[in-house]
Every structure is written in structure tokens, then in C-alpha cells.
Amino acid sequence: MKSIQEILHPVVTAKFWKELVIMTLGMTVGAAAVYYFLMPSKLVIGSISGLAIVLSELTGVEVSLLVTIINAILLVLAWLLIGAEFGAKTVYTALILGPLLEFWEWVMPYQSLIEPGATSVMNDPWFDLLCFVLLLSISQAILFRINASTGGLDILAKIVNKYLHFDIGASVTIAGALICCSAFLINPFRMVVIGLIGTWINGIVVDYFTDALNKRKKVCIISKDHEKLRQFITGKLLRGCSIYHLIGGFTGEEKVEIVALLTKHEYADLFKFMKENEIDGFITASSVSEIYGNWRSGKVRYESPKAITNPVKEA
């Protein structure tokens, strides 16, 4: 039997509450995108919100209530058909979307933003689409950064992936396209095509924002002052680095190269340190958008860096 401390440990950590706040803010932005730009124009994008808009038009039930019901049904199906692959993050984000739509209606109803004679907030389906994609992509990028999602369509895609054996990317596309096509029940052909294009653009923009949020700099420096640089990187920036022994192609001299992965601000701090200390070196830098393995995101130092007098030669 687990003790009460062991059971409650995941929810009493600072990381848990930080991610809860991030998920809530991310879903609040996503809910604003749906409420202000999808619902007034009745645009149907490949998402659970799009399906809820279609069903709302056919049944008269509130979109926010339908979103909550559909997500609850999908979560039950995921539990029955997939198992425990979906954790608390998916449950939380899927179930708060409906209440957050109600929240935005309470804060500022979209009717108050629509000018007389206009059919939507932007009064143009293409502008509504662009505003929706921009806000939703930001929301999704924030959630993906902490390994969360908006629920809904991701759950449906996982079910398609498991039972029809499509890869997950194709599963998302299929699920989104089917939802877009359901708009034929309430919208003319032109609006359905706009919805399909919007689904495609959304994927591109999400990738852009995700890469921007995750971008790091891979810095390679060849310098005689490599030990000073190593101490600054490990002792001040609190980042790891690798040291390589090499031979110059023109001079034949033995040199040392130090390689580190840094954030944008740390990269600037490193250059400032080199300038202030008049450290000369040959520097190359490239952008990295994906990192796997032990990347320390917090400024926590576990031990002091050990001195290295002779870099280990590579075989």
C-alpha cells in the first residue's frame, strides 16, 4: 500500500502547479480562438470544436456544452480502447475547453464585437481563419512544450492510429478531414474548402511556433582559452559542454574545440564574456530545434565542474 505522501507527491510539487498554470493559460488562448473566430463565422476546422459547431447548428445545443460532452465521450473511449496512454494532462485540457468557452462569453460576448451588417468578428472568413490559426497554434505550441495537448482530435487520431494502423500524422489528417467534411451539413462548399485549408495551415503554423519555442544554439568554439570558456559555461551558465581534441588542417597544430547547447540569452552572455575577457577564438553556431536526452532546463547546479588539464583525445 502506498502512503498518503507517495500518492499526493505528484500534486504537491512546484512542477505540477507550474504546468497546471501553463495548461490553463494555453487552453484559455485556444478557447478564445474558438469563441471569437470560429463560432461567429461557423467555420469548421478539423477539430472537436469544429464538430461541436456543426452539431450545435443541427441540434440547437450550446457549443461549449457539446465540446465538454464530446471530449468526455472520447476520454471514455480512449480509456476503453487504448488504455492508460492518456494521462491527467489530456483529461484536464480536454474537459476545461467547454467551461473556458463559457468564460469568454461571460467576459466579452462576441456579439459585442461584430459591427452592424457584419457576419463575424472580422467580417471575412479568410481573416477569421487566419486569426483563429494564429491563436490556436500559439496555444498548441505552449501545450506541446510541456508534453500536453488540447485533447479531442488527438484522442480520435490515436484511436484511428491503433485500429486502422495509420501513422499518427496520417491519423490526425484523416480525423481532421472527416470533421471538416461534416461542415457540408451546415455550410456551403466554399466554407468547407476554407476549413480544409485552415486545417492544413494550422499544422504548418504549429510547427513554426513549436520550433521557435524549442530553438537552441549549438555553439562550437576553438580557442586557447578553452578552460576559461568551459568554467564559464558549466559554472555560470550551468550548462554541460563537450571538449574535443583536433588538429588544424592548415597549420597542423593541436587545438581544442568546446561544444555547448545554449539558449538565446545564454548564447549572448557567452559572447559578452568572451568580449569582456578578450578571449579570441574561431566560433561557429547553428540553430537546433529538437533535443533528446539529458537537457537541464532549470538553473539547478548539482556539483561543481571538475578541472580538466588535458582534454581526452578522440580515437
Side-chain angles (χ1 to χ4, degrees):
M1 292 285 293
K2 289 185 178 181
S3 65
I4 295 178
Q5 289 82 358
E6 290 175 323
I7 295 172
L8 294 179
H9 177 71
V11 300
V12 296
T13 61
K15 181 175 181 288
F16 170 84
W17 291 107
K18 179 182 176 181
E19 291 189 346
L20 187 70
V21 171
I22 292 173
M23 285 189 290
T24 304
L25 290 175
M27 289 303 297
T28 301
V29 174
V34 173
Y35 181 74
Y36 290 110
F37 300 110
L38 278 198
M39 290 173 58
S41 63
K42 297 182 175 56
L43 266 175
V44 176
I45 308 296
S47 65
I48 294 306
S49 301
L51 180 59
I53 290 172
V54 173
L55 294 177
S56 177
E57 286 295 305
L58 297 175
T59 63
V61 180
E62 289 287 335
V63 172
S64 57
L65 178 59
L66 285 170
V67 166
T68 303
I69 292 172
I70 294 170
N71 276 322
I73 292 172
L74 287 175
L75 287 169
V76 173
L77 286 175
W79 181 72
L80 293 174
L81 300 176
I82 300 175
E85 290 187 30
F86 290 91
K89 289 180 182 179
T90 304
V91 175
Y92 179 72
T93 55
L95 293 182
I96 66 170
L97 178 57
L100 285 174
L101 292 174
E102 295 282 356
F103 166 77
W104 283 116
E105 184 174 19
W106 174 74
V107 171
M108 183 183 292
Y110 66 72
Q111 292 88 346
S112 64
L113 300 177
I114 299 177
E115 297 177 356
T119 57
S120 64
V121 173
M122 303 302 293
N123 197 30
D124 186 294
W126 288 106
F127 282 119
D128 287 317
L129 172 67
L130 292 174
C131 292
F132 166 76
V133 168
L134 179 63
L135 285 180
L136 185 67
S137 299
I138 293 172
S139 168
Q140 290 175 317
I142 292 170
L143 293 171
F144 291 158
R145 185 174 172 83
I146 59 170
N147 198 30
S149 71
T150 54
L153 187 63
D154 300 328
I155 299 172
L156 192 57
K158 267 290 188 180
I159 294 173
V160 172
N161 168 250
K162 181 172 182 178
Y163 290 96
L164 297 182
H165 307 293
F166 293 105
D167 63 55
I168 193 65
S171 300
V172 171
T173 302
I174 291 170
L178 289 174
I179 291 174
C180 283
C181 289
S182 71
F184 279 117
L185 298 173
I186 64 168
N187 284 340
F189 179 78
R190 174 174 174 269
M191 294 292 285
V192 177
V193 171
I194 292 175
L196 286 167
I197 294 172
T199 302
W200 171 65
I201 294 175
N202 179 231
I204 296 174
V205 179
V206 167
D207 286 342
Y208 171 80
F209 280 116
T210 301
D211 288 345
L213 287 172
N214 294 328
K215 190 169 288 184
R216 299 290 183 268
K217 286 287 186 182
K218 181 181 180 181
V219 186
C220 306
I221 306 173
I222 300 174
S223 173
K224 293 179 181 179
D225 295 314
H226 56 84
E227 180 58 23
K228 288 182 181 179
L229 293 171
R230 186 190 72 85
Q231 290 182 2
F232 178 76
I233 292 170
T234 57
K236 296 296 184 181
L237 300 182
L238 304 180
R239 293 295 181 192
C241 61
S242 299
I243 296 176
Y244 299 94
H245 180 87
L246 50 85
I247 298 175
F250 279 104
T251 63
E253 295 178 0
E254 291 190 355
K255 299 178 182 292
V256 173
E257 179 184 43
I258 186 165
V259 180
L261 289 174
L262 307 174
T263 64
K264 248 187 338 183
H265 297 298
E266 291 164 351
Y267 178 59
D269 288 342
L270 177 61
F271 264 79
K272 181 180 178 182
F273 171 77
M274 292 181 67
K275 184 176 180 180
E276 289 176 349
N277 290 272
E278 299 181 347
I279 295 176
D280 191 23
F282 178 76
I283 307 167
T284 59
S286 57
S287 296
V288 177
S289 59
E290 292 189 28
I291 300 173
Y292 300 96
N294 187 21
W295 167 263
R296 187 182 302 169
S297 59
K299 294 296 185 183
V300 180
R301 182 172 172 180
Y302 296 101
E303 58 182 14
S304 299
K306 298 177 181 178
I308 297 177
T309 55
N310 296 309
V312 177
K313 292 187 178 183
E314 298 293 316

